[in-house]
């Protein structure tokens, strides 16, 4: 497994939380320890990229988080070799 950047980890958490996810699903989906996930969730909530819904105990990507994720995906697309650019990922706005 390769080392991931903080941006890669944040993008993965935001992507997973698009439809709302519990902390456990985010932890396993992003392949993080509980301590690591808590630190990222705190940062993302402080910066308004993620919100915690007490009802249902879910984490949801905010509009600001969607915008951040779109920018990350655009940067990845621009930096990919040309033969891989046809396989782009699209972002779906949260409900």
């Amino acid at each position: 497994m390769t080392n991931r950047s903080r941006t890669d980890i944040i993008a993965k958490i935001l992507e997973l939380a698009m439809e709302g996810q519990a902390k456990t699903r985010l932890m396993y989906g992003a392949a993080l320890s509980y301590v690591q996930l808590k630190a990222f969730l705190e940062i993302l909530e402080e910066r308004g990229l993620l919100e915690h819904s007490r009802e249902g105990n879910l984490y949801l990507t905010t509009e600001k988080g969607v915008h951040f994720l779109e920018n990350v995906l655009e940067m990845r697309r621009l930096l990919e070799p040309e033969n891989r650019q046809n396989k782009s990922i699209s972002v779906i706005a949260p409900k």
Side-chain angles (χ1 to χ4, degrees):
M1 178 178 235
T2 62
N3 289 335
R4 301 173 292 167
S5 70
R6 287 173 50 102
T7 303
D8 289 337
I9 295 168
I10 289 169
K12 184 63 176 178
I13 293 169
L14 294 175
E15 182 182 336
L16 290 166
M18 292 290 287
E19 298 292 326
Q21 291 293 333
K23 194 180 286 187
T24 305
R25 295 240 185 230
L26 293 175
M27 184 175 74
Y28 288 118
L32 298 171
S33 71
Y34 180 74
V35 173
Q36 290 170 321
L37 179 68
K38 275 183 59 173
F40 277 103
L41 293 179
E42 185 177 319
I43 291 166
L44 294 173
E45 285 185 270
E46 285 175 0
R47 292 185 173 61
L49 301 174
L50 195 68
E51 64 185 16
H52 182 233
S53 168
R54 303 267 182 237
E55 187 178 309
N57 205 24
L58 299 176
Y59 287 86
L60 297 158
T61 304
T62 64
E63 285 188 43
K64 186 176 177 182
V66 171
H67 184 69
F68 176 88
L69 187 55
E70 287 171 341
N71 287 329
V72 169
L73 295 174
E74 178 64 13
M75 285 189 306
R76 285 181 186 165
R77 187 189 66 75
L78 291 171
L79 295 173
E80 281 182 353
E82 288 196 29
N83 60 345
R84 296 187 68 204
Q85 285 187 3
N86 295 335
K87 299 177 183 176
S88 63
I89 301 170
S90 64
V91 175
I92 302 168
K95 294 178 182 178

